[in-house]
Amino acid sequence: MKPAFYARPTLDVTADLIGKVLVHDGRGRRTAGVIVEVEAYIGEDDPACHAAPGPTKRNAPLYGPPGRAYVYLNYGLHYLVNAVTEPVGSPAAVLIRALEPLEGVELMVQRRQKSRRVAFYEKRKKRTDGFFHDLCRGPGNLTVAMAIGPRHNGADLWKGKLRIEDRGITPPALEWSRRIGIRVGVEQPWRCTWRGHAAISGGGPRRRG
């Protein structure tokens, strides 16, 4: 996924990211998942976007080249990963909210289990569909499962160890709805999901049209 893919209107990139594959090659071990849920955050006029207060040291990647990762610590708990969009100087990004696990599932299980004080789901022994889709459901869970952290902030998403690939996967239909997990800017229908996918996080989608 070359920079030109990201240097477009953010909502176009948002829709086109569904079905793409997020890959992380770390220490010789690969994890990957199909992107099934994302949210757009666009510009200084978007109160939910980190660019709302203007340029800062923290949000500098949003103003930089498209196709870079913007990774930040959310509420002191989990790191979240975004793909920076639009030309340099136009701050915007797409938050990756959920994946369908594709490669390195056992490694994802180990990481999720290690991150908890108690065992991660006894269902792991039965390997149910519900358990499988829980692994990368939610933006904080997927970064734990994929071992994505602050060292990836500003990384190129088209050629590095952390990247987004096009493997020819096409969702049958998309859903648009309001963004979730935020307190401001909630009226914007900028959350896009693979319609009906079991791995999407809370807040049922509604079709835009």
Side-chain angles (χ1 to χ4, degrees), residues 109-182:
V109 171
Q110 294 169 15
R111 290 168 174 166
R112 288 290 312 277
Q113 186 171 8
K114 185 178 180 180
S115 73
R116 291 170 173 259
R117 293 182 180 178
V118 296
F120 173 61
Y121 295 114
E122 286 301 315
K123 292 180 182 178
R124 70 185 297 267
K125 299 174 183 177
K126 299 179 181 180
R127 190 47 77 95
T128 65
D129 287 343
F131 160 76
F132 176 78
H133 288 118
D134 275 343
L135 277 174
C136 297
R137 178 188 287 120
N141 291 331
L142 75 85
T143 55
V144 170
M146 298 278 288
I148 298 171
R151 67 189 182 282
H152 298 108
N153 190 34
D156 299 335
L157 289 174
W158 65 92
K159 62 181 180 180
K161 292 183 177 180
L162 178 67
R163 61 191 181 277
I164 296 175
E165 299 179 350
D166 185 350
R167 298 190 182 179
I169 300 170
T170 303
L174 302 179
E175 301 276 359
W176 291 86
S177 62
R178 294 180 179 180
R179 297 175 296 188
I180 59 178
I182 55 176

Side-chain angles (χ1 to χ4, degrees), residues 185-203:
V186 295
E187 69 282 355
Q188 300 289 3
W190 290 351
R191 174 174 172 253
C192 187
T193 62
W194 180 313
R195 186 169 70 183
H197 200 286
I200 64 175
S201 56

Side-chain angles (χ1 to χ4, degrees), residues 68-103:
R68 300 286 180 89
Y70 174 44
V71 180
Y72 61 86
L73 186 63
N74 189 50
Y75 297 119
L77 297 174
H78 299 295
Y79 288 97
L80 307 187
V81 60
N82 304 252
V84 175
T85 58
E86 307 207 12
V88 173
S90 297
V94 180
L95 170 66
I96 302 175
R97 286 197 56 90
L99 309 172
E100 176 184 337
L102 191 63
E103 298 180 55

